[in-house]
Amino acid sequence: MREVLATLPRFEKTGPSHAGLAHERYAPQKDDEKEENSSPWRRWLNWMDGAREPEHYGVAYRRWRGSLTQWHTASVEMRATGRLLAGHGNASPTGVGLTLHHTWGVPVIPGSSLKGVLAAYLRASFEPAEVAEACRRLFGVPGDEQLGQKASVGQVLFHDAPWVSSRGKEGAEQQMLARDVLTVHQRGWYGKAESWPNDYESPNPVAFLSVRPGGRFLVALSVAPGADAETLRLLRWAADRLCEVLRDWGVGGKTAAGYGRLEPEGNLVVNPPRAVSRPSPERDAFKAWGEAQRAAKTEQRKVLEDFAAQWRPRLLPLSREARMECAQALRVLVRSPKLQQRLEELLRFLVDGV
């Protein structure tokens, strides 16, 4: 298989279209060649260095971000101030793993990593008695039959932190990955333990890939709809502490060398869940009527007159959310500038009753 992949045309200057697939499947065997052009391994590293965000990833990112509206969610965009290496223990052709999204190939910080680093930060920064209850509610506790303790799950959901789409904005051509190096100085000791560590062996540079500085990630924590005020305070407190540990400690591998630090861009925002639209026969009937008017190309003035005479009295008893949906549907039908004042008067009365 590797020999077949070696014949595929690649190593374009623009980098791979799917960095995850290229990282896991297209890496050639390592070699000892010193020259870039004569070493497939070095050429592959340079090619990966040019990886950029896929063309249609922005659609998937916006869909994912929209899915957060079903919970109470605390979220903030964070920018990597240095290099980031998440998943360095994963199996990888380079010997140093990197977590990339399976479908899109963009860098991602696993939610389990965020949960783990926050747990370590709370244990190190507070007395156990101070955060015992908060940790129990954040992370849950295992059960113990001998002590009669029941297991409980954490109340806060730690989402994976995806790469923030930048296409169409300044920096859209930002590269995601960077070529990196780790130099082992006692090759015999770390390899097969053939000799004791010493200072006269030749160093062994190990090339790998990490996330470039400047990459942005969306960090989000959620709790279920219907949460009480105490749980919402816990959500905000946990999100604030997570921002602190990502800024001061970092996440992922090689944090002692300065990797993995992230700074918030903007303020932490806590949003309530989006209101769920309940079934409404009248609302659905109005939308069907609107589609019929659109298909028949009914004059907009007549649409407005029919709405005022027939539909407004029928829609007033509906919930405010349903009336707002009907108002938006009517705005799509009536777009004439001459009718906008009358349209807004009718919709104001429909939605607010004034």
Side-chain angles (χ1 to χ4, degrees), residues 16-17 52 145 266 269:
S17 58
R52 290 174 170 79
E145 295 182 359
V269 178

Side-chain angles (χ1 to χ4, degrees), residues 11 26 35 51 54 160 167 219 250 283 285 301 314 331 342:
F11 303 157
Y26 276 13
E35 297 295 330
D160 292 344
R167 278 194 173 269
V219 176
R283 178 201 61 198
R301 186 179 298 277
R314 295 171 58 180
R331 282 195 176 95
R342 175 59 175 162

Side-chain angles (χ1 to χ4, degrees), residues 33-165:
E33 293 289 339
K34 303 300 182 182
E35 297 295 330
E36 295 284 340
N37 293 334
S38 59
S39 169
W41 168 251
R42 294 175 183 273
R43 290 174 55 209
W44 176 82
L45 287 171
N46 288 339
W47 180 57
M48 292 294 297
D49 192 277
R52 290 174 170 79
E53 177 187 320
E55 181 179 356
H56 301 294
Y57 170 69
V59 177
Y61 171 76
R62 289 189 292 273
R63 186 184 300 119
W64 182 91
R65 187 160 191 163
S67 70
L68 297 177
T69 59
Q70 60 188 304
W71 300 289
H72 291 280
T73 300
S75 62
V76 61
E77 289 186 8
M78 304 197 73
R79 179 178 55 83
T81 58
R83 299 196 178 209
L84 186 144
L85 186 60
H88 68 293
N90 298 343
S92 169
T94 66
V96 181
L98 182 65
T99 302
L100 299 172
H101 194 279
H102 177 76
T103 304
W104 293 100
V106 297
V108 60
I109 304 174
S112 57
S113 296
L114 300 176
K115 188 174 184 178
V117 74
L118 177 60
Y121 178 71
L122 295 181
R123 288 195 299 266
S125 303
F126 297 89
E127 292 295 332
E130 293 180 307
V131 293
E133 179 62 17
C135 288
R136 183 189 68 80
R137 299 182 65 185
L138 280 172
F139 312 119
V141 293
D144 192 326
E145 295 182 359
Q146 295 181 351
L147 299 177
Q149 295 178 349
K150 293 184 178 180
S152 65
V153 298
Q155 299 177 2
V156 175
L157 177 61
F158 289 75
H159 297 280
D160 292 344
W163 177 269
V164 175
S165 176

